[in-house]
Amino acid sequence: MKILIVDDSKAMRLIIRRALRQAGFADEGLAEACNGSEALKSIRAESPDLVLSDWNMPEMTGIDLLSALVAEGKKVPFVFVTSESTPEMRERAMGSGALGLIAKPFDADKFKEVLGPILRS
Amino acid sequence: MNVQEQDIRDITGAVWTSVLRRDAETPSGDPEAEFAGSVMTGCVQMSGTWDGAVTLQCSIQLARAAAAAMYDSDPTEMSSADIRDAIGELTNMVGGNIKALLPGPTQLSLPFVVEGGKYSLNICNVVAVHRVWFSSLGETFVVTLLARDNAQDPVSAAPMPILTGGFPREDSHR
């Protein structure tokens, strides 16, 4: 199973990797992208099983990435990991096709809670 | 304005505990007066229903220690890029969570980071609403919430108060 981590912060990508490992998802193949544009190319080439994406990024935001995937008919499970956690942002995320939104800062238990059902299905 | 000083303490404390696995405590004495050396400033701006900014300012030493905690590495291994990335992301998380308490819809900018021994940061048309000091990893840092002040003349407005330390200490850079 392949998970793509999308965040413009290298430190945050490392923290997400750590949380995935602590949540018991260490066996998943992990890839990284530093913005939505790079992620889109990676998704087209590698077809990951799950995308964990930040919202605010240079070149292409996470919400624009999700919209592009929907427009291309790509049904990849998509979860936001972002400091943008207002009810309005959550509503916009779900309305755009995201399966969840994990607010920063987070812990491994939150990853288990949100990602467990998605990865099991 | 729905954000109180305690909200900033709670949010910053949660980010520090979760991301750095360290406490962000209330310092004793006069932390600004005791500060000296090069300052790193992380900033995110907000615009929309609410306009303003959040800054996080600390010494280079604290920034390096924070980066090392995020990377789970030794402080001497941290590059300048790693340190700027760490402070930018910490500012993003603190600012994003403060934004959730403010009227919306409001957009959050990408973070930017400034570093130097003596500089004046001007964010036009804003005033400091809360300036909250912390101590962590043997150093102090400050989180400031700034709000737009439409009555302020942008030409004559005073620059945002920043930590006015001296010139960079010799050991403050790699």
Side-chain angles (χ1 to χ4, degrees), chain B:
Chain B
M1 167 64 69
N2 296 325
V3 178
Q4 306 302 318
E5 179 176 313
Q6 191 57 47
D7 295 317
I8 297 174
R9 287 206 176 279
D10 292 342
I11 287 168
T12 306
V15 169
W16 235 246
T17 302
S18 175
V19 178
L20 304 185
R21 291 152 290 170
R22 305 287 193 280
D23 292 327
E25 298 168 339
T26 304
S28 56
D30 185 350
E32 184 160 4
E34 292 165 11
F35 185 84
S38 215
V39 176
M40 187 162 263
T41 300
C43 179
V44 287
Q45 294 183 275
M46 305 177 201
S47 61
T49 302
W50 197 87
D51 295 319
V54 169
T55 64
L56 188 158
Q57 295 175 293
C58 65
S59 66
I60 302 300
Q61 286 80 357
L62 177 54
R64 179 179 292 279
M70 288 175 84
Y71 279 89
D72 204 12
S73 184
D74 192 274
T76 58
E77 298 292 318
M78 295 294 100
S79 69
S80 295
D82 293 334
I83 296 169
R84 287 192 296 271
D85 175 36
I87 293 302
E89 187 59 25
L90 288 170
T91 308
N92 178 52
M93 282 187 274
V94 170
N97 279 276
I98 290 174
K99 172 180 161 285
L101 301 178
L102 295 164
T106 296
Q107 304 270 13
L108 187 72
S109 77
L110 291 169
F112 66 86
V113 178
V114 180
E115 176 190 347
K118 208 163 186 176
Y119 59 87
S120 172
L121 183 65
N122 280 0
I123 303 178
C124 296
N125 286 13
V126 296
V127 291
V129 178
H130 294 300
R131 195 159 167 79
V132 186
W133 284 88
F134 300 87
S135 69
S136 181
L137 297 160
E139 303 266 344
T140 54
F141 68 98
V142 59
V143 174
T144 306
L145 174 63
L146 303 114
R148 169 175 279 190
D149 179 6
N150 289 320
Q152 197 182 92
D153 178 355
V155 175
S156 63
M160 186 196 86
I162 56 119
L163 295 170
T164 51
F167 292 102
R169 298 201 287 244
E170 284 184 14
D171 63 347
S172 65
H173 293 276
R174 207 175 161 182

Side-chain angles (χ1 to χ4, degrees), chain A residues 96-115:
Chain A
S96 299
L99 297 180
L101 187 151
I102 296 172
K104 295 176 183 175
F106 49 80
D107 56 25
D109 286 340
K110 178 56 72 174
F111 267 45
K112 265 190 234 175
E113 176 193 326
V114 176
L115 304 182

